[in-house]
């Protein structure tokens, strides 16, 4: 992790009833990327399906990949300019 990112928040969540808001100041903020919609997927098949559909005609920031926190994760912008993060938290597979 770069030294300048050590004081940043990578992931923070606020639960309100059945809803979760995610916050982060880890990434470089530029006009247009200040809000990401997040989908927590129930399966690997679901995240692959959603990733393929949302990335059609869009731009991928982070390819769908396994992460150090035990998930499959990706970030992208769809063809309509909406930012997305996708997460599938693996459960001891």
């Amino acid at each position: 992790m770069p030294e300048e990112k050590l004081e940043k928040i990578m992931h923070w969540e606020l639960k309100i009833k059945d809803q979760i808001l995610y916050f982060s100041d880890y990434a470089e903020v530029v006009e247009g990327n200040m809000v990401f919609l997040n989908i927590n997927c129930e399966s690997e098949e679901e995240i692959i399906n959603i990733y393929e559909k949302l990335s059609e005609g869009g731009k991928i920031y982070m390819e769908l990949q396994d992460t150090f926190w035990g998930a499959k994760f990706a970030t992208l912008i769809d063809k309509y300019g909406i930012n997305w993060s996708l997460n599938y938290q693996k459960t001891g597979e």
Side-chain angles (χ1 to χ4, degrees), residues 25-91:
D25 65 359
Y26 180 79
E28 184 73 26
V29 176
V30 294
E31 186 174 338
N33 82 345
M34 292 175 266
V35 175
F36 276 76
L37 298 177
N38 183 73
I39 299 176
N40 284 317
C41 299
E42 299 291 324
S43 69
E44 190 162 347
E45 294 78 24
E46 182 182 35
I47 196 170
I48 291 169
N49 185 36
I50 293 171
Y51 175 78
E52 288 174 352
K53 288 179 179 175
L54 287 176
S55 62
E56 287 176 16
K59 177 183 174 187
I60 296 169
Y61 293 123
M62 179 179 171
E63 294 276 344
L64 183 61
Q65 60 190 270
D66 293 324
T67 65
F68 66 86
W69 64 87
K72 276 205 172 298
F73 184 80
T75 58
L76 58 99
I77 184 170
D78 69 17
K79 64 184 175 184
Y80 303 107
I82 298 171
N83 293 292
W84 295 91
S85 63
L86 308 173
N87 191 74
Y88 165 58
Q89 193 64 46
K90 298 177 184 183
T91 55

